[in-house]
mmCIF file of all heavy atoms in Angstrom:
data_model
loop_
_atom_site.group_PDB
_atom_site.id
_atom_site.type_symbol
_atom_site.label_atom_id
_atom_site.label_comp_id
_atom_site.label_asym_id
_atom_site.label_seq_id
_atom_site.Cartn_x
_atom_site.Cartn_y
_atom_site.Cartn_z
ATOM 1 N N ASP A 281 27.896 21.599 56.592
ATOM 2 C CA ASP A 281 26.472 21.497 56.338
ATOM 3 C C ASP A 281 25.887 20.267 57.018
ATOM 4 O O ASP A 281 26.551 19.243 57.151
ATOM 5 C CB ASP A 281 26.181 21.442 54.836
ATOM 6 C CG ASP A 281 27.215 20.633 54.045
ATOM 7 O OD1 ASP A 281 28.420 20.813 54.285
ATOM 8 O OD2 ASP A 281 26.825 19.821 53.184
ATOM 9 N N ALA A 282 24.636 20.395 57.430
ATOM 10 C CA ALA A 282 23.888 19.262 57.974
ATOM 11 C C ALA A 282 23.175 18.544 56.831
ATOM 12 O O ALA A 282 22.923 19.117 55.780
ATOM 13 C CB ALA A 282 22.886 19.734 59.007
ATOM 14 N N MET A 283 22.847 17.276 57.063
ATOM 15 C CA MET A 283 22.130 16.461 56.064
ATOM 16 C C MET A 283 20.871 15.878 56.693
ATOM 17 O O MET A 283 20.932 15.257 57.759
ATOM 18 C CB MET A 283 23.032 15.325 55.569
ATOM 19 C CG MET A 283 22.318 14.208 54.850
ATOM 20 S SD MET A 283 22.022 14.519 53.115
ATOM 21 C CE MET A 283 23.562 13.920 52.409
ATOM 22 N N ASP A 284 19.717 16.115 56.017
ATOM 23 C CA ASP A 284 18.451 15.529 56.461
ATOM 24 C C ASP A 284 17.676 15.099 55.222
ATOM 25 O O ASP A 284 17.179 15.927 54.467
ATOM 26 C CB ASP A 284 17.645 16.546 57.260
ATOM 27 C CG ASP A 284 16.366 15.943 57.847
ATOM 28 O OD1 ASP A 284 16.121 14.743 57.614
ATOM 29 O OD2 ASP A 284 15.623 16.671 58.529
ATOM 30 N N ILE A 285 17.582 13.791 54.994
ATOM 31 C CA ILE A 285 16.900 13.268 53.811
ATOM 32 C C ILE A 285 15.599 12.562 54.163
ATOM 33 O O ILE A 285 14.974 11.925 53.312
ATOM 34 C CB ILE A 285 17.816 12.306 53.032
ATOM 35 C CG1 ILE A 285 18.278 11.139 53.917
ATOM 36 C CG2 ILE A 285 19.014 13.056 52.471
ATOM 37 C CD1 ILE A 285 19.055 10.068 53.152
ATOM 38 N N THR A 286 15.157 12.690 55.428
ATOM 39 C CA THR A 286 13.929 12.035 55.875
ATOM 40 C C THR A 286 12.861 13.087 56.150
ATOM 41 O O THR A 286 13.045 13.944 57.017
ATOM 42 C CB THR A 286 14.180 11.222 57.170
ATOM 43 O OG1 THR A 286 15.283 10.346 56.976
ATOM 44 C CG2 THR A 286 12.935 10.433 57.546
ATOM 45 N N PRO A 287 11.723 13.061 55.443
ATOM 46 C CA PRO A 287 10.683 14.055 55.707
ATOM 47 C C PRO A 287 10.058 13.842 57.079
ATOM 48 O O PRO A 287 9.992 12.696 57.550
ATOM 49 C CB PRO A 287 9.673 13.816 54.576
ATOM 50 C CG PRO A 287 9.918 12.406 54.120
ATOM 51 C CD PRO A 287 11.383 12.142 54.356
ATOM 52 N N PRO A 288 9.635 14.939 57.740
ATOM 53 C CA PRO A 288 9.739 16.332 57.301
ATOM 54 C C PRO A 288 11.184 16.833 57.416
ATOM 55 O O PRO A 288 11.867 16.544 58.404
ATOM 56 C CB PRO A 288 8.821 17.074 58.263
ATOM 57 C CG PRO A 288 8.844 16.245 59.514
ATOM 58 C CD PRO A 288 8.948 14.824 59.052
ATOM 59 N N PHE A 289 11.630 17.586 56.436
ATOM 60 C CA PHE A 289 13.018 18.031 56.374
ATOM 61 C C PHE A 289 13.269 19.204 57.326
ATOM 62 O O PHE A 289 12.324 19.804 57.841
ATOM 63 C CB PHE A 289 13.370 18.402 54.938
ATOM 64 C CG PHE A 289 13.047 17.315 53.949
ATOM 65 C CD1 PHE A 289 12.051 17.485 52.993
ATOM 66 C CD2 PHE A 289 13.725 16.099 53.990
ATOM 67 C CE1 PHE A 289 11.736 16.484 52.091
ATOM 68 C CE2 PHE A 289 13.416 15.082 53.094
ATOM 69 C CZ PHE A 289 12.415 15.274 52.138
ATOM 70 N N THR A 290 14.517 19.494 57.551
ATOM 71 C CA THR A 290 14.921 20.481 58.543
ATOM 72 C C THR A 290 15.407 21.766 57.880
ATOM 73 O O THR A 290 16.372 21.718 57.105
ATOM 74 C CB THR A 290 16.052 19.925 59.431
ATOM 75 O OG1 THR A 290 15.624 18.710 60.033
ATOM 76 C CG2 THR A 290 16.454 20.930 60.506
ATOM 77 N N PRO A 291 14.796 22.910 58.152
ATOM 78 C CA PRO A 291 15.326 24.169 57.635
ATOM 79 C C PRO A 291 16.775 24.381 58.102
ATOM 80 O O PRO A 291 17.121 24.084 59.246
ATOM 81 C CB PRO A 291 14.403 25.231 58.233
ATOM 82 C CG PRO A 291 13.124 24.503 58.509
ATOM 83 C CD PRO A 291 13.545 23.118 58.912
ATOM 84 N N GLY A 292 17.623 24.850 57.206
ATOM 85 C CA GLY A 292 19.031 25.061 57.526
ATOM 86 C C GLY A 292 19.909 23.872 57.224
ATOM 87 O O GLY A 292 21.136 23.995 57.181
ATOM 88 N N ALA A 293 19.290 22.694 57.021
ATOM 89 C CA ALA A 293 20.027 21.495 56.623
ATOM 90 C C ALA A 293 19.874 21.298 55.117
ATOM 91 O O ALA A 293 18.925 21.776 54.502
ATOM 92 C CB ALA A 293 19.511 20.267 57.363
ATOM 93 N N LEU A 294 20.820 20.583 54.528
ATOM 94 C CA LEU A 294 20.716 20.203 53.126
ATOM 95 C C LEU A 294 20.155 18.798 53.016
ATOM 96 O O LEU A 294 20.076 18.072 54.013
ATOM 97 C CB LEU A 294 22.083 20.293 52.458
ATOM 98 C CG LEU A 294 22.733 21.682 52.455
ATOM 99 C CD1 LEU A 294 24.110 21.633 51.801
ATOM 100 C CD2 LEU A 294 21.843 22.709 51.761
ATOM 101 N N ARG A 295 19.775 18.412 51.801
ATOM 102 C CA ARG A 295 19.273 17.056 51.538
ATOM 103 C C ARG A 295 20.130 16.368 50.503
ATOM 104 O O ARG A 295 19.690 15.471 49.810
ATOM 105 C CB ARG A 295 17.844 17.118 51.019
ATOM 106 C CG ARG A 295 16.854 17.821 51.899
ATOM 107 C CD ARG A 295 16.057 18.842 51.123
ATOM 108 N NE ARG A 295 15.778 18.487 49.764
ATOM 109 C CZ ARG A 295 14.537 18.289 49.278
ATOM 110 N NH1 ARG A 295 13.490 18.403 50.065
ATOM 111 N NH2 ARG A 295 14.353 18.004 48.005
ATOM 112 N N GLY A 296 21.415 16.796 50.399
ATOM 113 C CA GLY A 296 22.288 16.222 49.388
ATOM 114 C C GLY A 296 23.712 16.692 49.556
ATOM 115 O O GLY A 296 24.161 16.897 50.678
ATOM 116 N N GLY A 297 24.407 16.888 48.436
ATOM 117 C CA GLY A 297 25.844 17.134 48.480
ATOM 118 C C GLY A 297 26.238 18.561 48.157
ATOM 119 O O GLY A 297 25.781 19.149 47.177
ATOM 120 N N SER A 298 27.119 19.129 48.988
ATOM 121 C CA SER A 298 27.688 20.447 48.719
ATOM 122 C C SER A 298 29.120 20.265 48.224
ATOM 123 O O SER A 298 29.796 19.304 48.567
ATOM 124 C CB SER A 298 27.653 21.321 49.968
ATOM 125 O OG SER A 298 28.520 20.813 50.972
ATOM 126 N N HIS A 299 29.588 21.237 47.423
ATOM 127 C CA HIS A 299 30.922 21.086 46.829
ATOM 128 C C HIS A 299 31.466 22.419 46.347
ATOM 129 O O HIS A 299 30.718 23.381 46.159
ATOM 130 C CB HIS A 299 30.905 20.078 45.669
ATOM 131 C CG HIS A 299 29.639 20.021 44.891
ATOM 132 N ND1 HIS A 299 29.449 20.676 43.700
ATOM 133 C CD2 HIS A 299 28.474 19.378 45.146
ATOM 134 C CE1 HIS A 299 28.240 20.442 43.243
ATOM 135 N NE2 HIS A 299 27.615 19.665 44.101
ATOM 136 N N VAL A 300 32.783 22.483 46.154
ATOM 137 C CA VAL A 300 33.532 23.689 45.787
ATOM 138 C C VAL A 300 33.124 24.829 46.727
ATOM 139 O O VAL A 300 32.460 25.790 46.339
ATOM 140 C CB VAL A 300 33.340 24.082 44.313
ATOM 141 C CG1 VAL A 300 34.370 25.128 43.910
ATOM 142 C CG2 VAL A 300 33.466 22.879 43.390
ATOM 143 N N HIS A 301 33.541 24.693 47.973
ATOM 144 C CA HIS A 301 33.192 25.648 49.021
ATOM 145 C C HIS A 301 34.189 26.806 49.004
ATOM 146 O O HIS A 301 35.400 26.580 49.014
ATOM 147 C CB HIS A 301 33.227 24.959 50.381
ATOM 148 C CG HIS A 301 32.468 23.669 50.411
ATOM 149 N ND1 HIS A 301 33.035 22.463 50.048
ATOM 150 C CD2 HIS A 301 31.179 23.397 50.737
ATOM 151 C CE1 HIS A 301 32.136 21.502 50.161
ATOM 152 N NE2 HIS A 301 31.009 22.041 50.579
ATOM 153 N N VAL A 302 33.680 28.046 48.997
ATOM 154 C CA VAL A 302 34.548 29.225 48.925
ATOM 155 C C VAL A 302 34.102 30.254 49.961
ATOM 156 O O VAL A 302 32.945 30.695 49.948
ATOM 157 C CB VAL A 302 34.518 29.856 47.516
ATOM 158 C CG1 VAL A 302 35.401 31.105 47.478
ATOM 159 C CG2 VAL A 302 34.987 28.857 46.462
ATOM 160 N N PHE A 303 35.017 30.637 50.845
ATOM 161 C CA PHE A 303 34.711 31.670 51.835
ATOM 162 C C PHE A 303 34.464 33.015 51.156
ATOM 163 O O PHE A 303 35.107 33.354 50.154
ATOM 164 C CB PHE A 303 35.874 31.827 52.814
ATOM 165 C CG PHE A 303 35.987 30.721 53.824
ATOM 166 C CD1 PHE A 303 36.937 29.713 53.658
ATOM 167 C CD2 PHE A 303 35.181 30.681 54.946
ATOM 168 C CE1 PHE A 303 37.065 28.698 54.586
ATOM 169 C CE2 PHE A 303 35.300 29.669 55.886
ATOM 170 C CZ PHE A 303 36.249 28.675 55.703
ATOM 171 N N SER A 304 33.552 33.790 51.723
ATOM 172 C CA SER A 304 33.363 35.166 51.282
ATOM 173 C C SER A 304 34.620 35.971 51.611
ATOM 174 O O SER A 304 35.437 35.556 52.441
ATOM 175 C CB SER A 304 32.142 35.775 51.966
ATOM 176 O OG SER A 304 32.266 35.705 53.385
ATOM 177 N N PRO A 305 34.819 37.126 50.967
ATOM 178 C CA PRO A 305 36.053 37.895 51.201
ATOM 179 C C PRO A 305 36.304 38.250 52.660
ATOM 180 O O PRO A 305 37.469 38.387 53.070
ATOM 181 C CB PRO A 305 35.842 39.150 50.351
ATOM 182 C CG PRO A 305 34.982 38.681 49.213
ATOM 183 C CD PRO A 305 34.035 37.696 49.849
ATOM 184 N N ASP A 306 35.246 38.382 53.476
ATOM 185 C CA ASP A 306 35.453 38.667 54.893
ATOM 186 C C ASP A 306 35.626 37.403 55.723
ATOM 187 O O ASP A 306 35.806 37.466 56.945
ATOM 188 C CB ASP A 306 34.309 39.511 55.445
ATOM 189 C CG ASP A 306 32.959 38.801 55.407
ATOM 190 O OD1 ASP A 306 32.900 37.622 54.976
ATOM 191 O OD2 ASP A 306 31.952 39.419 55.801
ATOM 192 N N GLY A 307 35.576 36.236 55.077
ATOM 193 C CA GLY A 307 35.807 34.972 55.765
ATOM 194 C C GLY A 307 34.651 34.459 56.593
ATOM 195 O O GLY A 307 34.796 33.465 57.312
ATOM 196 N N GLU A 308 33.476 35.092 56.493
ATOM 197 C CA GLU A 308 32.365 34.739 57.366
ATOM 198 C C GLU A 308 31.397 33.724 56.745
ATOM 199 O O GLU A 308 30.920 32.825 57.428
ATOM 200 C CB GLU A 308 31.593 36.007 57.754
ATOM 201 C CG GLU A 308 32.404 36.977 58.605
ATOM 202 C CD GLU A 308 32.794 36.395 59.952
ATOM 203 O OE1 GLU A 308 31.947 35.714 60.567
ATOM 204 O OE2 GLU A 308 33.937 36.605 60.381
ATOM 205 N N TRP A 309 31.076 33.885 55.477
ATOM 206 C CA TRP A 309 30.116 33.021 54.807
ATOM 207 C C TRP A 309 30.840 32.112 53.832
ATOM 208 O O TRP A 309 31.997 32.348 53.476
ATOM 209 C CB TRP A 309 29.070 33.845 54.068
ATOM 210 C CG TRP A 309 28.201 34.698 54.954
ATOM 211 C CD1 TRP A 309 28.362 34.935 56.290
ATOM 212 C CD2 TRP A 309 27.052 35.445 54.560
ATOM 213 N NE1 TRP A 309 27.388 35.768 56.762
ATOM 214 C CE2 TRP A 309 26.558 36.113 55.718
ATOM 215 C CE3 TRP A 309 26.389 35.623 53.354
ATOM 216 C CZ2 TRP A 309 25.436 36.931 55.683
ATOM 217 C CZ3 TRP A 309 25.261 36.440 53.318
ATOM 218 C CH2 TRP A 309 24.791 37.083 54.469
ATOM 219 N N VAL A 310 30.166 31.064 53.380
ATOM 220 C CA VAL A 310 30.759 30.116 52.435
ATOM 221 C C VAL A 310 29.750 29.839 51.318
ATOM 222 O O VAL A 310 28.602 29.475 51.593
ATOM 223 C CB VAL A 310 31.140 28.785 53.119
ATOM 224 C CG1 VAL A 310 31.745 27.803 52.111
ATOM 225 C CG2 VAL A 310 32.107 29.026 54.273
ATOM 226 N N SER A 311 30.185 30.026 50.074
ATOM 227 C CA SER A 311 29.331 29.646 48.947
ATOM 228 C C SER A 311 29.648 28.207 48.539
ATOM 229 O O SER A 311 30.729 27.689 48.829
ATOM 230 C CB SER A 311 29.541 30.582 47.761
ATOM 231 O OG SER A 311 30.804 30.371 47.160
ATOM 232 N N PHE A 312 28.713 27.574 47.861
ATOM 233 C CA PHE A 312 28.929 26.206 47.379
ATOM 234 C C PHE A 312 27.948 25.921 46.257
ATOM 235 O O PHE A 312 26.954 26.633 46.073
ATOM 236 C CB PHE A 312 28.764 25.178 48.503
ATOM 237 C CG PHE A 312 27.437 25.216 49.215
ATOM 238 C CD1 PHE A 312 26.321 24.550 48.712
ATOM 239 C CD2 PHE A 312 27.295 25.944 50.396
ATOM 240 C CE1 PHE A 312 25.101 24.589 49.372
ATOM 241 C CE2 PHE A 312 26.074 25.998 51.063
ATOM 242 C CZ PHE A 312 24.978 25.317 50.550
ATOM 243 N N THR A 313 28.237 24.889 45.483
ATOM 244 C CA THR A 313 27.243 24.354 44.560
ATOM 245 C C THR A 313 26.670 23.076 45.168
ATOM 246 O O THR A 313 27.259 22.467 46.055
ATOM 247 C CB THR A 313 27.834 24.090 43.168
ATOM 248 O OG1 THR A 313 29.165 23.608 43.287
ATOM 249 C CG2 THR A 313 27.846 25.360 42.347
ATOM 250 N N TYR A 314 25.503 22.670 44.677
ATOM 251 C CA TYR A 314 24.701 21.691 45.410
ATOM 252 C C TYR A 314 23.947 20.761 44.469
ATOM 253 O O TYR A 314 23.470 21.180 43.409
ATOM 254 C CB TYR A 314 23.696 22.449 46.294
ATOM 255 C CG TYR A 314 22.676 21.571 46.970
ATOM 256 C CD1 TYR A 314 23.017 20.822 48.089
ATOM 257 C CD2 TYR A 314 21.366 21.486 46.496
ATOM 258 C CE1 TYR A 314 22.085 20.009 48.719
ATOM 259 C CE2 TYR A 314 20.426 20.682 47.117
ATOM 260 C CZ TYR A 314 20.793 19.935 48.225
ATOM 261 O OH TYR A 314 19.882 19.125 48.851
ATOM 262 N N ASN A 315 23.862 19.493 44.879
ATOM 263 C CA ASN A 315 22.989 18.510 44.222
ATOM 264 C C ASN A 315 22.156 17.797 45.276
ATOM 265 O O ASN A 315 22.635 17.533 46.387
ATOM 266 C CB ASN A 315 23.801 17.501 43.416
ATOM 267 C CG ASN A 315 24.337 18.092 42.138
ATOM 268 O OD1 ASN A 315 25.375 18.759 42.127
ATOM 269 N ND2 ASN A 315 23.625 17.872 41.041
ATOM 270 N N ASP A 316 20.937 17.444 44.927
ATOM 271 C CA ASP A 316 19.936 17.010 45.896
ATOM 272 C C ASP A 316 19.700 15.498 45.858
ATOM 273 O O ASP A 316 19.319 14.944 44.824
ATOM 274 C CB ASP A 316 18.624 17.747 45.600
ATOM 275 C CG ASP A 316 17.625 17.626 46.723
ATOM 276 O OD1 ASP A 316 17.717 18.416 47.677
ATOM 277 O OD2 ASP A 316 16.750 16.729 46.651
ATOM 278 N N HIS A 317 19.907 14.830 46.994
ATOM 279 C CA HIS A 317 19.688 13.377 47.067
ATOM 280 C C HIS A 317 18.210 13.025 46.954
ATOM 281 O O HIS A 317 17.847 12.057 46.275
ATOM 282 C CB HIS A 317 20.230 12.837 48.395
ATOM 283 C CG HIS A 317 19.794 11.429 48.676
ATOM 284 N ND1 HIS A 317 20.446 10.328 48.178
ATOM 285 C CD2 HIS A 317 18.728 10.942 49.378
ATOM 286 C CE1 HIS A 317 19.825 9.226 48.553
ATOM 287 N NE2 HIS A 317 18.787 9.564 49.288
ATOM 288 N N VAL A 318 17.347 13.787 47.632
ATOM 289 C CA VAL A 318 15.926 13.439 47.679
ATOM 290 C C VAL A 318 15.333 13.402 46.272
ATOM 291 O O VAL A 318 14.654 12.445 45.884
ATOM 292 C CB VAL A 318 15.167 14.428 48.582
ATOM 293 C CG1 VAL A 318 13.658 14.187 48.497
ATOM 294 C CG2 VAL A 318 15.646 14.302 50.027
ATOM 295 N N LEU A 319 15.604 14.442 45.483
ATOM 296 C CA LEU A 319 15.061 14.475 44.127
ATOM 297 C C LEU A 319 15.806 13.516 43.208
ATOM 298 O O LEU A 319 15.209 12.954 42.281
ATOM 299 C CB LEU A 319 15.096 15.891 43.578
ATOM 300 C CG LEU A 319 14.185 16.883 44.305
ATOM 301 C CD1 LEU A 319 14.210 18.232 43.613
ATOM 302 C CD2 LEU A 319 12.753 16.357 44.382
ATOM 303 N N HIS A 320 17.102 13.315 43.442
ATOM 304 C CA HIS A 320 17.859 12.361 42.629
ATOM 305 C C HIS A 320 17.273 10.962 42.780
ATOM 306 O O HIS A 320 17.171 10.206 41.804
ATOM 307 C CB HIS A 320 19.327 12.370 43.044
ATOM 308 C CG HIS A 320 20.211 11.607 42.116
ATOM 309 N ND1 HIS A 320 20.911 12.199 41.101
ATOM 310 C CD2 HIS A 320 20.508 10.273 42.045
ATOM 311 C CE1 HIS A 320 21.608 11.285 40.442
ATOM 312 N NE2 HIS A 320 21.378 10.111 41.002
ATOM 313 N N ALA A 321 16.898 10.600 44.007
ATOM 314 C CA ALA A 321 16.315 9.277 44.243
ATOM 315 C C ALA A 321 14.962 9.143 43.546
ATOM 316 O O ALA A 321 14.574 8.051 43.119
ATOM 317 C CB ALA A 321 16.175 9.043 45.747
ATOM 318 N N ARG A 322 14.253 10.252 43.409
ATOM 319 C CA ARG A 322 12.946 10.226 42.740
ATOM 320 C C ARG A 322 13.120 10.144 41.230
ATOM 321 O O ARG A 322 12.474 9.351 40.559
ATOM 322 C CB ARG A 322 12.150 11.472 43.137
ATOM 323 C CG ARG A 322 10.798 11.612 42.477
ATOM 324 C CD ARG A 322 10.053 12.818 43.029
ATOM 325 N NE ARG A 322 9.625 12.564 44.401
ATOM 326 C CZ ARG A 322 8.467 12.026 44.746
ATOM 327 N NH1 ARG A 322 7.617 11.660 43.804
ATOM 328 N NH2 ARG A 322 8.158 11.832 46.002
ATOM 329 N N ASP A 323 14.013 11.005 40.697
ATOM 330 C CA ASP A 323 14.293 11.044 39.262
ATOM 331 C C ASP A 323 15.560 11.888 39.077
ATOM 332 O O ASP A 323 15.523 13.087 39.357
ATOM 333 C CB ASP A 323 13.124 11.666 38.492
ATOM 334 C CG ASP A 323 13.372 11.733 36.986
ATOM 335 O OD1 ASP A 323 14.495 11.432 36.533
ATOM 336 O OD2 ASP A 323 12.437 12.126 36.260
ATOM 337 N N PRO A 324 16.665 11.293 38.616
ATOM 338 C CA PRO A 324 17.905 12.070 38.457
ATOM 339 C C PRO A 324 17.726 13.339 37.623
ATOM 340 O O PRO A 324 18.473 14.310 37.827
ATOM 341 C CB PRO A 324 18.845 11.080 37.768
ATOM 342 C CG PRO A 324 18.365 9.738 38.211
ATOM 343 C CD PRO A 324 16.864 9.877 38.292
ATOM 344 N N MET A 325 16.755 13.386 36.729
ATOM 345 C CA MET A 325 16.527 14.582 35.917
ATOM 346 C C MET A 325 15.996 15.747 36.749
ATOM 347 O O MET A 325 16.051 16.899 36.322
ATOM 348 C CB MET A 325 15.557 14.267 34.779
ATOM 349 C CG MET A 325 16.069 13.218 33.796
ATOM 350 S SD MET A 325 17.609 13.730 32.992
ATOM 351 C CE MET A 325 17.018 15.108 32.016
ATOM 352 N N LEU A 326 15.477 15.455 37.937
ATOM 353 C CA LEU A 326 14.979 16.507 38.819
ATOM 354 C C LEU A 326 16.073 17.097 39.698
ATOM 355 O O LEU A 326 15.870 18.139 40.339
ATOM 356 C CB LEU A 326 13.858 15.964 39.714
ATOM 357 C CG LEU A 326 12.608 15.444 39.008
ATOM 358 C CD1 LEU A 326 11.654 14.842 40.029
ATOM 359 C CD2 LEU A 326 11.938 16.556 38.214
#
Side-chain angles (χ1 to χ4, degrees):
D281 37 315
M283 164 84 87
D284 185 359
I285 58 173
T286 308
F289 308 113
T290 304
L294 299 178
R295 303 130 34 117
S298 67
H299 32 98
V300 193
H301 311 87
V302 178
F303 285 102
S304 57
D306 64 2
E308 295 296 319
W309 296 9
V310 179
S311 71
F312 56 84
T313 37
Y314 172 77
N315 286 83
D316 194 84
H317 168 84
V318 173
L319 294 185
H320 190 96
R322 178 175 289 270
D323 180 353
M325 298 300 293
L326 299 175

